[in-house]
Amino acid sequence: MTRLLLEAQQAAEQGGYTVSSFLTLAAGRTAGREETASLRAMLAPAAPSAKPRLVIVDHLHDAPRELTEAVASLARYRLPEHSREAPLVRIIGIRTGLQDPSMRRLSHEFTGDNRIELGRLSDATSTELAAGLLGATPDPRLAAAISGAGGNPLLTVELIHGLREEGLVEISRDRARLLDERVPRRVRDLAQHWLGSLSDKTRQLVQVAAAVGGSFMVVEVASMLRETTASMLPALNEALDSGLLICPGEQTLFQHELIRRAIADALPAAVRQALRQDIAALSSQRCLQVPIPPEFLVTGGPVAASPPARLPASTDTPSPPPVSAPPPLPSDGPGVVHRLLPALLMARSTRTEPLPLGLTEALRSGLTAVLEAHYALVEPTTAHPPLTERTDRITRNTVSLFSNGTERTAARARAVLAGHQGRPDEADVVAATVVVSNLEWAQGNLAEGLKWAQRAVESLGPATPPMWSPYVKMALATKLSDTGRFEEAEELIDTARAEAEALGHPHTATPLIARARVLLQSSRLQEAQACAQSGLEIAARTGGGWVVPVGQAVLILVALRRGDLASASDYVWRCRAAVGADSTVFPSIHFDWGECLVATVQLGPQRTAEVLTTTYAHLLTSPQLFVEEAAAAAWLVRLALAADDIPLASTVVTAAERFATANAGHPTLAVGALHARGLLERNSEALRQAAREHVSPCAGALAEEDLGMLLSAQEETGALGASALRSAEGRFAQIGSQGDIARIRAFIEERQAPLTNAPRQAEAATTGWEALSETERSIALLVSDGLTNRQVARRVSLSPHTVNYHLRAIFRKLDISSRVEVARHITHGA
């Protein structure tokens, strides 16, 4: 980019322009106060110029705040009307996909200007660039080394200059031959500069990953850093955003193999060796073996057709396995419609930021093309001017639905419906109806959501393009499934699937993933997994990036139910990577819910409670979550109680009951609220009723497990509790939920010894110290010393979950309600 701008500067000077160049180069030289003051002076009204002016700013994303503020004024600058002042031309270089909100806002200031997006150079173009710099054709070994730059022009130039400066390349008879494969100093400096822009945790992640090898699994590096995948997500996302890492398949890769080698070489040899021994030890323990077929572990975003090549003959690490990447997404307008419209119709939320300018323009032109083709087919006698006006109106209305912010999108959708004068099956009316339905549903207004969803299906007609129909039906089907009407939902999805298959790619993946969601809610885990995997495999071939994270969210929950934490953790990371890789993805509560559940298992109750009130605070009162996940409220209450956070548990119960009351016609919410209330108040009858009435088999089994845990803590013999737990175990076995079965069996085994060996004289006592079992006395003494549940669990060889139930039994028998009172009770010898 810098080279292009320099050429533009030279050409402009030759053409008589006054040129002010403010170049912030990647090597570290940034524009300072003098350049900023000069730019502001150029824009001052009192300083008109008779000559045309050209302002060039490269690497704006790396510029100091003073310069970005001046550039913002440059973006808004307009010549006064009837001014004799010469025109001002702006050329701005800025990285795409920026995560910094202020920089994204600044880039939107230039939306009215011409936009040119530069991608990676092909291997052939990179070799040609190197040949121009060397004055000779690179030999195969040198060409392979150049490919390690991953098509990055700056990195390619620095590599060539570095090789020449250090005498690592020989030129003879118009051929350039690589003499030594070590990474030049220039490249190492550039790598350290890029590392320096990262946070400490992300820098550590990248360095460890570089030492591990050209490709790695996130769970491997997280384990080496003594972190969980969930806690590593901010650093992982930062590494992706920086462009250092990519995630095109099963393995996470370095974007530029040359940079990976430079980072690894900067580490002391002993450190590199120790890190490799660590990864070998972890792998030999088989704790990192994640049996995930590569064909459905995809990001779905637009990535290079092949992974970056590496420098040849490196003894540093073995070559990474080949990774198949999904094909590039279509760049034509109709192709964008096939990606964006389904994402809008199936979404339960709105975008957090506007569509990128390029996507908006492609969507607008694509919609026009799709509509004109459809109306020419079904209404060939329509006169041309009315048809043009009609397609313009429908296109404008439909594009307006891709807004950011719930209130704004809802207002635009209702405005489309209120202002419509024609047929009810017009494309924009159908789309607006679905959007209203989805947003009502996400707010917890189930009756309204269903009403609008059914109206959308009924509105389908000849004026609706065929592509709309399957997604409108699937939008209704998923809502029917949320309320426990699984058979109706499956029938509707089957109809939608037949229509989608008639449309062809890329529509065939979505019905499979929608059906996987229904199967998961009805607790058919094996079928749900197979459907999700098939849908992701198709999405990988067709570029359906928007639906990939939805399918991976299903696989997160399936893996957790089966007790496969390693796979669940890896799916969490890949889900987040897919969300960031494709600008057509809409946010979903399922992404956060799956991540939260994985964090729960990895972090334990105390830290999870902290995370719940910060990172996942929106889940605690989410109507969408309580509607779509039958046992979500109860699960959150269980987590809060395990952390001894009664206020947190009460917040969840209150929210669940409020939504249930507002939707009295939908008993699934009422049962979920009853389950949560039963846990909070230790009400066995409420839990027993929830176990009977939950429509979801998995939620019913969870309620019966909670009942068994409660009864086990309330009685010495544990007969009733054991019976309920065995019943829950049987229900989980029918579902295939091995993770839940393992949890119940561990609890039963932990309780059997202390229950059977408890002194007989204690059986007669029901309250006071004498009523406590030996295990409960040990726990009480440890708690009185100030130990947490997790610390106590390690001392008595029980799980923190079991310690929590013992502690509540202690509270009941001693007629107290806090850990402080336990200590006071023991101190006073009561």
Side-chain angles (χ1 to χ4, degrees):
M1 184 66 185
T2 300
R3 179 182 175 187
L4 290 176
L5 296 182
L6 286 171
E7 291 177 355
Q9 177 178 340
Q10 293 169 1
E13 288 173 341
Q14 293 172 3
Y17 277 71
T18 297
V19 179
S20 290
S21 178
F22 310 93
L23 299 177
T24 60
L25 303 180
R29 183 172 64 82
T30 59
R33 293 182 178 179
E34 292 183 6
E35 291 92 335
T36 303
S38 175
L39 174 58
R40 286 176 173 159
M42 283 189 68
L43 302 177
S49 172
K51 295 177 65 178
R53 294 170 296 166
L54 172 66
V55 178
I56 302 175
V57 183
D58 190 19
H59 287 265
L60 178 59
H61 47 276
D62 290 333
R65 182 171 298 277
E66 294 81 6
L67 182 59
T68 59
E69 291 174 353
V71 173
S73 64
L74 172 67
R76 294 187 289 269
Y77 178 78
R78 297 292 182 272
L79 285 175
E81 192 173 358
H82 307 303
S83 172
R84 295 182 179 180
E85 188 176 345
L88 183 145
V89 179
R90 304 163 296 195
I91 300 180
I92 310 297
I94 187 169
R95 180 185 296 163
T96 58
L98 295 170
Q99 299 300 312
D100 180 18
S102 63
M103 195 56 64
R104 284 203 305 268
R105 285 194 296 271
L106 179 56
S107 67
H108 287 313
E109 296 277 4
F110 292 93
T111 53
D113 296 340
N114 293 328
R115 186 183 184 114
I116 302 173
E117 292 196 9
L118 303 178
R120 65 186 293 271
L121 302 180
S122 66
D123 285 347
T125 304
S126 296
T127 304
E128 184 181 348
L129 172 62
L133 294 171
L134 291 166
T137 303
D139 72 351
R141 292 181 65 210
L142 179 55
I146 293 166
S147 70
N152 183 294
L154 172 65
L155 188 52
T156 301
V157 170
E158 292 297 297
L159 171 65
I160 297 303
H161 287 324
L163 291 173
R164 296 195 69 169
E165 288 170 359
E166 297 178 30
L168 304 178
V169 64
E170 177 185 69
I171 299 175
S172 175
R173 296 180 181 178
D174 296 329
R175 294 282 288 181
R177 185 167 66 91
L178 186 66
L179 299 178
D180 194 314
E181 295 165 357
R182 71 174 183 266
V183 180
R185 167 66 62 184
R186 272 179 176 258
V187 174
R188 294 201 300 271
D189 289 346
L190 181 59
Q192 292 305 311
H193 173 71
W194 285 354
L195 271 181
S197 66
L198 304 176
S199 65
D200 290 343
K201 192 170 184 178
T202 304
R203 187 160 54 250
Q204 182 186 26
L205 161 70
V206 171
Q207 288 174 316
V208 171
V212 167
S215 64
F216 61 93
M217 294 190 70
V218 173
V219 67
E220 293 174 346
V221 175
S223 298
M224 294 176 69
L225 295 175
R226 303 298 186 267
E227 296 275 358
T228 66
T229 307
S231 64
M232 287 296 297
L233 278 176
L236 291 167
N237 286 330
E238 183 183 354
L240 265 186
D241 295 338
S242 72
L244 284 172
L245 300 182
I246 57 173
C247 192
E250 182 178 0
Q251 300 283 316
T252 301
L253 307 171
F254 275 80
Q255 177 96 276
H256 316 293
E257 172 62 12
L258 190 59
I259 289 295
R260 186 204 68 77
R261 286 196 59 203
I263 294 172
D265 289 350
L267 297 172
V271 173
R272 290 201 304 272
Q273 182 64 26
L275 289 172
R276 289 169 194 151
Q277 289 174 351
D278 285 348
I279 194 66
L282 288 170
S283 298
S284 67
Q285 297 168 11
R286 299 187 64 81
C287 63
L288 297 176
Q289 303 304 313
V290 184
I292 307 171
E295 62 269 17
F296 64 89
L297 276 179
V298 297
T299 64
V303 297
S306 60
R310 48 185 289 115
L311 283 171
S314 169
T315 58
D316 195 43
T317 55
S319 298
V323 178
S324 58
L329 292 173
S331 58
D332 58 300
V336 170
V337 178
H338 288 282
R339 292 158 50 206
L340 273 172
L341 187 72
L344 173 73
L345 297 178
M346 297 296 291
R348 299 287 177 84
S349 59
T350 55
R351 296 179 61 85
T352 56
E353 59 185 55
L355 280 178
L357 177 64
L359 267 182
T360 301
E361 294 304 319
L363 175 63
R364 189 174 286 117
S365 62
L367 273 170
T368 300
V370 168
L371 292 169
E372 287 178 348
H374 174 67
Y375 292 133
L377 180 66
V378 299
E379 302 176 21
T381 59
T382 304
H384 187 266
L387 179 60
T388 300
E389 294 173 7
R390 181 183 184 188
T391 55
D392 285 348
R393 170 179 52 78
I394 294 174
T395 295
R396 184 172 58 254
N397 287 343
T398 305
V399 171
S400 74
L401 300 176
F402 289 86
S403 182
N404 56 315
T406 301
E407 292 183 4
R408 183 181 305 171
T409 305
R412 290 183 176 180
R414 292 187 181 277
V416 170
L417 297 176
H420 185 67
Q421 302 290 330
R423 301 174 51 164
D425 59 342
E426 292 280 32
D428 55 340
V429 175
V430 174
T433 305
V434 176
V435 168
V436 170
S437 168
N438 291 341
L439 296 183
E440 289 285 357
W441 196 264
Q443 293 296 316
N445 303 320
L446 304 195
E448 283 294 296
L450 270 179
K451 179 189 75 175
W452 287 103
Q454 290 165 341
R455 182 178 298 179
V457 172
E458 293 165 358
S459 298
L460 294 170
T464 312
M467 192 184 76
W468 272 243
S469 181
Y471 297 100
V472 172
K473 292 174 181 175
M474 284 187 283
L476 172 58
T478 55
K479 296 177 179 68
L480 293 173
S481 178
D482 291 344
T483 58
R485 297 159 66 176
F486 303 129
E487 291 184 5
E488 295 176 67
E490 283 196 74
E491 289 177 5
L492 204 51
I493 287 177
D494 287 342
T495 302
R497 183 177 180 182
E499 295 178 356
E501 288 176 349
L503 292 170
H505 294 318
H507 303 284
T508 51
T510 308
L512 286 168
I513 291 177
R515 189 168 188 270
R517 182 79 195 151
V518 174
L519 292 169
L520 176 64
Q521 288 178 314
S522 57
S523 303
R524 293 149 65 184
L525 300 185
Q526 186 172 355
E527 294 175 79
Q529 183 181 33
C531 255
Q533 290 176 355
S534 297
L536 287 171
E537 183 178 356
I538 292 173
R541 295 198 304 266
T542 61
W546 74 269
V547 79
V548 167
V550 180
Q552 288 170 336
V554 171
L555 293 176
I556 292 171
L557 299 181
V558 171
L560 285 173
R561 292 263 75 87
R562 292 189 158 182
D564 187 356
L565 179 61
S567 292
S569 300
D570 204 64
Y571 286 130
V572 165
W573 163 237
R574 298 191 180 282
C575 181
R576 285 299 179 190
V579 170
D582 197 313
S583 58
T584 65
V585 177
F586 279 66
S588 171
I589 199 75
H590 300 126
F591 308 157
D592 294 335
W593 178 237
E595 183 179 307
C596 175
L597 293 180
V598 170
T600 300
V601 180
Q602 294 178 326
L603 301 179
Q606 294 291 343
R607 287 186 62 191
T608 298
E610 298 173 6
V611 174
L612 272 177
T613 56
T614 53
T615 306
Y616 306 115
H618 60 293
L619 296 178
L620 300 174
T621 57
S622 169
Q624 184 183 354
L625 179 63
F626 296 160
V627 169
E628 299 179 18
E629 299 290 342
W635 193 271
L636 291 169
V637 170
R638 179 190 280 199
L639 296 179
L641 292 178
D644 294 327
D645 196 334
I646 303 300
L648 182 60
S650 299
T651 297
V652 175
V653 171
T654 301
E657 290 178 338
R658 182 172 67 250
F659 296 128
T661 301
N663 295 276
H666 297 275
T668 51
L669 274 178
V671 177
L674 178 70
H675 187 174
R677 174 64 69 179
L679 272 174
L680 177 62
E681 297 185 348
R682 301 174 59 79
N683 186 326
S684 58
E685 284 305 314
L687 294 176
R688 190 173 285 111
Q689 182 181 347
R692 287 195 311 267
E693 296 182 3
H694 265 304
V695 177
S696 164
C698 186
L702 284 170
E704 190 149 24
E705 178 190 354
D706 288 328
L707 173 64
M709 296 280 195
L710 176 61
L711 294 176
S712 297
Q714 288 179 340
E715 55 178 357
E716 287 302 323
T717 62
L720 292 176
S723 175
L725 289 172
R726 292 298 182 192
S727 176
E729 182 183 350
R731 295 171 75 167
F732 281 129
Q734 291 180 342
I735 297 168
S737 190
Q738 297 300 321
D740 297 298
I741 292 172
R743 183 178 61 249
I744 292 175
R745 288 178 178 173
F747 177 79
I748 292 174
E749 290 172 3
E750 288 169 355
R751 281 191 56 83
Q752 279 178 343
L755 287 174
T756 54
N757 297 332
R760 294 193 59 83
Q761 61 269 26
E763 295 178 6
T766 58
T767 60
W769 183 259
E770 294 301 319
L772 303 185
S773 67
E774 289 299 323
T775 300
E776 289 167 347
R777 292 182 186 182
S778 299
I779 290 173
L781 290 169
L782 292 171
V783 168
S784 70
D785 289 337
L787 274 66
T788 65
N789 283 8
R790 184 168 291 277
Q791 291 169 328
V792 172
R794 285 197 291 267
R795 296 285 188 92
V796 297
S797 300
L798 298 174
S799 71
H801 188 71
T802 304
V803 168
N804 180 66
Y805 274 96
H806 279 306
L807 186 58
R808 299 200 171 281
I810 293 169
F811 289 173
R812 176 178 56 79
K813 293 177 182 179
L814 299 182
D815 193 25
I816 57 180
S817 59
S818 71
R819 305 167 79 92
V820 174
E821 290 180 88
V822 172
R824 187 181 301 122
H825 192 282
I826 292 174
T827 301
H828 293 138

